[in-house]
Amino acid sequence: MLSLLLVLISLPSEIDSKEIPLFSTEPFEIVFTNEVVWGQTGHRVVGQIAEAFLSKKAKREIHRLLDGHSLAFASTIADEIKSDRAYDSFGPWHYVNYEMGGYYDPSKADERGDIVYGIQKSIEVLESKSTSDVDKRFYLKLLIHFIGDLHQPLHVGRAEDQGGNRIQVSWFSRNSNLHRVWDSDLIDGYNMSYDELAQELLRSTTSAERKELAKGTYLDWVEESHQIVGRVYASASSGARLGYRYTYDFNPLVFEQLAKGGVRLAKILNDLFD
């Protein structure tokens, strides 16, 4: 039973392999940047949907690498490790910023890396025949998370407002910000568990729709999210009071993005392990 409650994290070989505490009594400061992404529920929904479309071969290899844990279970680890400074270099890999109306330009990419680099690096590690299982396990967890991140539109937003974190709004009379609204407020406000929401999205998406969603590459999906984030920025400005009207208008888009993330994660994993 205890093993289900602990997240076992293995450091990749290029990081100092000191012991990583699972729990800490040290105080810490919460800093909101555009590294904050889909909340736990959103990431787990993406993982749960993807699991439904894995090939038998991919499912076997992923089951082995994750020590029997599900994609949903592994999907939040890339956020959980942020509390340890050994992983600071992975922070910029959760997002990418470029000007609205523009296109991703690798020549202007952050030298620390971005979500495009993070996905590319994870795929390279998993494809390599010389990579250890420790490294493959770690980068598989990152890849699961980053594909989810990619479909939270404010992950491909503007640098100047930190992906909407600096746009302060009211959410049902509580202080929030635009990023947090899309990260978790909309999803958690629906009051469904990740499994319930994933099953609902699976039931409501046809095979023809899933085939359409799976088209393209992760670079295409970056541009798609960048186009969608324009709608998100137009939906609210600083000081906006958001509530039921906002949920009516934007829950369908949130759910569509979660479904896309799950279907596309399955596609990438099947391509890797089949």
Side-chain angles (χ1 to χ4, degrees), residues 7 39-41 43-44 71-81 141 144-145:
V7 178
Q40 289 185 328
T41 302
H43 276 291
R44 289 169 180 163
L71 298 182
F73 185 89
S75 67
T76 60
I77 291 174
D79 277 342
E80 291 158 9
I81 62 177
K141 293 171 183 177
I144 294 166
H145 188 90

Side-chain angles (χ1 to χ4, degrees), residues 82-274:
K82 290 178 183 177
S83 62
D84 191 285
R85 293 191 180 280
Y87 297 95
D88 281 356
S89 63
F90 296 96
W93 295 15
H94 289 253
Y95 61 91
V96 63
N97 300 130
Y98 53 99
E99 64 183 46
M100 301 306 300
Y103 294 91
Y104 179 75
D105 183 349
S107 69
K108 298 179 181 178
D110 191 327
E111 62 183 13
R112 301 171 301 167
D114 54 28
I115 196 167
V116 174
Y117 177 81
I119 292 171
Q120 176 185 323
K121 173 68 174 180
S122 299
I123 290 173
E124 288 175 355
V125 170
L126 289 165
E127 285 180 331
S128 173
K129 296 186 183 303
S130 61
T131 304
S132 70
D133 277 354
V134 170
D135 282 4
K136 285 189 175 183
R137 182 175 298 113
F138 179 78
Y139 280 95
L140 173 58
K141 293 171 183 177
L142 291 188
L143 180 61
I144 294 166
H145 188 90
F146 292 157
I147 296 300
D149 282 354
L150 178 57
H151 291 85
Q152 207 281 45
L154 285 160
H155 245 245
V156 193
R158 302 184 302 220
E160 57 265 34
D161 53 49
Q162 295 183 331
N165 275 292
R166 291 181 173 175
I167 301 175
Q168 301 300 311
V169 299
S170 169
W171 179 255
F172 287 95
S173 301
R174 292 185 291 105
N175 291 334
S176 189
N177 62 64
L178 190 58
H179 194 115
R180 191 184 305 163
V181 167
W182 280 78
D183 173 17
S184 55
D185 288 341
L186 279 165
I187 296 172
D188 293 343
Y190 213 69
N191 202 28
M192 296 180 81
S193 70
Y194 79 85
D195 183 64
E196 290 172 329
L197 183 51
Q199 293 305 320
E200 192 63 36
L201 295 177
L202 284 167
R203 281 192 294 269
S204 61
T205 308
T206 68
S207 58
E209 288 171 334
R210 290 193 294 271
K211 185 176 180 179
E212 191 66 26
L213 293 179
K215 290 181 178 178
T217 68
Y218 62 85
L219 289 173
D220 296 322
W221 307 334
V222 167
E223 301 301 345
E224 178 188 76
S225 289
H226 192 61
Q227 291 179 9
I228 291 171
V229 82
R231 288 179 57 192
V232 178
Y233 278 126
S235 72
S237 55
S238 289
R241 298 173 64 84
L242 308 180
Y244 287 115
R245 180 74 263 168
Y246 200 84
T247 67
Y248 299 153
D249 290 341
F250 288 101
N251 267 345
L253 179 56
V254 170
F255 296 157
E256 181 182 353
Q257 290 303 106
L258 292 172
K260 285 178 184 175
V263 170
R264 291 167 175 177
L265 174 59
K267 175 191 176 182
I268 285 181
L269 295 176
N270 287 335
D271 287 347
L272 277 169
F273 295 117
D274 273 352

